[in-house]
Amino acid sequence: MNFFNDSPPNDADKTQRAYSAGANIARNRMSTEAPLAAEALAAIQESDIVVVTGCYDHVERVLGALDVPYQTVGPGLLRQVRLRPDQMVVVNCPGKLTGPEIVQIRDFVAAGGTLFTTDWALRNVIEPAFPGYIEYNDNATTDDVVRIDVVDTNSPYLQGVLDSDDDPQWWLEGSSYPIRIIDADRVRVLIRSRELGEKYGEEPVAVVFEYGKGEVFHMISHYYLQRAELRNDRHAQTAESYAMSKGVNFSPGMANAVADIKLGEVEAAATSSRLIANILADKKRRGTKD
């Protein structure tokens, strides 16, 4: 991405620069904290990840910020792709798939594939493909931002996602679908928000469950977070100060690019970047072993 253009920054540009900085922090920390995972992330090829595009969410922008290659396919065209169990399929919100595509996704996961979905895909993909695990609670959110907490601190998916002094925010798009857990024995909550539960009836932000030989990850709202709230003095500090607190030194170009971005914004981007990086690295490592 070209950080050094003469056009005035807009919200989309600012968000993308926050993600570039957040992904930079996530990659640098992973190389130090989890070098084998960093190697696996670097080994990902375009054919390893299939992104079903959506008009509301754009997980591929997070992948791009992480320098992870991927291939895209439009909704209704997934049947043209021959899926392999060592792949990950990302279905962006709203997740409007055809009936045959729903069956294809179910069979893909059962054979060992990994599925990653967001927001409205809960009703459009997860409920019909994997009934009895999680569902929409029919209490849509407003446009909101909530604090989040890690639940499963020992999970490899959450390594480096949240430190004890962090206070990241999770953006809820208007009409996001809260996640109700049907089968608590089979569904693991990775990230939750007490604030989300108080306001909308359900605490889960990110969950995972196994199906057959594969697994399904689902997150409420858009994974490509388009805004954050600066709720305290810490959030209002600079993005560079956040990087330094994590042991990462920005290059002069990166520091200049994020000069107008606050700690709270890059913290939200770094959190979501590290989570998807961990999931991708784990999938790649297990696929290589198989």
Side-chain angles (χ1 to χ4, degrees), residues 250-270:
F250 282 155
S251 67
M254 178 65 76
N256 180 66
V258 298
D260 61 329
I261 294 174
K262 302 301 182 183
L263 181 151
E265 295 165 323
V266 76
E267 181 177 57

Side-chain angles (χ1 to χ4, degrees), residues 110-173:
T114 296
L115 176 66
F116 186 103
T117 60
T118 64
D119 213 10
W120 289 2
L122 175 57
R123 173 143 291 176
N124 294 331
V125 178
I126 302 299
E127 289 184 18
F130 311 100
Y133 288 84
I134 57 177
E135 66 182 5
Y136 170 37
N137 77 342
D138 290 315
N139 183 22
T141 72
T142 62
D143 185 296
D144 205 348
V145 176
V146 295
R147 285 188 172 92
I148 62 174
D149 299 295
V150 163
V151 177
D152 188 356
T153 56
N154 294 320
S155 170
Y157 307 130
L158 296 172
Q159 182 176 3
V161 172
L162 288 180
D163 296 326
S164 59
D165 59 340
D166 290 343
D167 184 23
Q169 315 298 303
W170 196 268
W171 175 54
L172 303 172
E173 167 71 4

Side-chain angles (χ1 to χ4, degrees), residues 12 59 84 97 104-105 113 116 127 140 163 171 227 235 254-255 267 280:
V59 180
R84 309 187 314 266
L97 302 184
Q104 181 187 15
I105 285 290
F116 186 103
E127 289 184 18
D163 296 326
W171 175 54
R227 74 178 181 90
H235 285 160
M254 178 65 76
E267 181 177 57
L280 290 168

Side-chain angles (χ1 to χ4, degrees), residues 50-54 60 71-76 78 89-93 97:
V50 178
V51 177
V52 181
T53 56
E60 62 271 23
Q71 57 182 305
T72 61
V73 61
L78 187 59
V89 172
V90 178
V91 179
N92 280 305
C93 177
L97 302 184

